[in-house]
């Protein structure tokens, strides 16, 4: 079992839908949780960052961490075709600067 | 504006050739990383460096070496390229802060024939 599990998709939704992207993990030492967005033929870029448990909101994006269930989510409201990309979750323990990445979920938002 | 640049976007090499992939960051970051990204396998860490002239093996170092002679530059070397090293190679850097945000370059798509 990989330390971080993420469904590769693709996930195809109509424009305006609410999107839910998820990762599960097995290492209880993880404290830093991140979501990266990667457009085709580009490098990943940080989208959201959360420390420990709880929610964090930034515009149409909400990151949620449930450490008791070892489950993290990224919600996208009012999804747009420009949100079409691969979304990678990443996490690391305290004191480490080396994240463990999920395999990424491919999201397609069609007009 | 923070920036990580990679020497080539696309590269085609022949089996057995020595290949150099260069990465430069302008953020004065201590830590630099080389990953490869393959469909279905995600990002896999090849090597990382936490200081000049320091290097540590990642998850898949076989067939690769690295060099970090200056803080801003981290090179990945394929001593004798093989077809199974055809991949997207991504360089990243981070500072020593607690949030571990990785700044990625645009990637090099390497094809080994």
């Amino acid at each position: 079992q990989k330390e971080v599990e993420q469904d590769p998709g693709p996930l195809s939704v109509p424009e305006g839908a609410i999107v839910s992207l998820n990762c599960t993990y097995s290492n209880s030492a993880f404290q830093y949780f991140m979501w990266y967005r990667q457009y085709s033929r580009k490098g990943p870029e940080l989208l959201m960052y959360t420390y420990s448990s709880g929610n964090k909101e930034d515009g149409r994006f909400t990151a949620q961490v449930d450490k008791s269930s070892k489950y993290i989510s990224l919600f996208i409201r009012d999804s747009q075709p420009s949100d079409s990309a691969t979304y990678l979750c990443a996490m690391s323990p305290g004191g480490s600067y080396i994240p463990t990445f999920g395999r990424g979920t491919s999201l397609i938002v069609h007009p | 504006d923070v920036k990580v640049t990679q020497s080539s976007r696309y590269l085609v090499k022949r089996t057995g050739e020595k290949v150099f992939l260069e990465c430069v960051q302008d953020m004065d970051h201590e830590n630099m990383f080389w990953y490869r990204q393959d469909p279905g396998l995600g990002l896999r860490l090849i090597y990382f460096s936490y200081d000049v002239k320091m290097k540590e093996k990642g998850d898949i170092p076989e067939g690769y070496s690295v060099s970090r002679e200056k803080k801003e530059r981290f090179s990945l070397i394929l001593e004798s390229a093989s077809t199974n090293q055809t991949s997207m190679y991504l360089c990243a850097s981070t500072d020593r802060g607690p949030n571990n945000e990785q700044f990625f370059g645009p990637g090099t798509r390497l094809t080994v024939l």
Side-chain angles (χ1 to χ4, degrees), chain B residues 19-53:
Chain B
V19 182
F20 292 88
L21 302 182
E22 302 257 300
C23 175
V24 177
Q25 51 96 1
D26 65 359
M27 296 163 282
D28 201 35
H29 283 169
E30 286 83 3
N31 310 309
M32 297 188 74
F33 306 77
W34 275 106
Y35 295 89
R36 62 178 284 177
Q37 187 176 34
D38 301 285
L41 297 177
L43 282 169
R44 291 183 290 167
L45 181 63
I46 305 171
Y47 267 96
F48 65 97
S49 168
Y50 54 89
D51 204 348
V52 175
K53 296 193 186 294

Side-chain angles (χ1 to χ4, degrees), chain A residues 32 36 38 41 92 96-97, chain B residues 9 37 40 50 98 100 102:
Chain A
Y32 297 92
Y36 285 81
Q38 184 177 21
R41 292 185 290 278
S92 63
S96 169
Y97 50 82
Chain B
R9 293 300 307 274
Q37 187 176 34
Y50 54 89
N100 303 315
Q102 297 222 324

Side-chain angles (χ1 to χ4, degrees), chain A residues 2 8 32 34 36 38 41-46 49 86 88 92-93 95-99 101-104, chain B residues 9-10 31 33 35 37 40-43 45 48 50 88 90 94-96 98-102 104-106:
Chain A
K2 281 180 67 70
Y32 297 92
M34 291 148 281
Y36 285 81
Q38 184 177 21
R41 292 185 290 278
K42 296 280 180 67
E45 55 182 359
L46 184 68
Y49 159 78
T86 296
L88 299 100
S92 63
S96 169
Y97 50 82
I98 304 172
F101 284 89
R103 295 184 187 186
Chain B
R9 293 300 307 274
Y10 300 94
N31 310 309
F33 306 77
Y35 295 89
Q37 187 176 34
L41 297 177
L43 282 169
L45 181 63
F48 65 97
Y50 54 89
M88 168 69 87
L90 288 158
T94 71
D95 63 17
R96 290 201 192 276
N99 68 358
N100 303 315
E101 176 181 357
Q102 297 222 324
F104 285 87

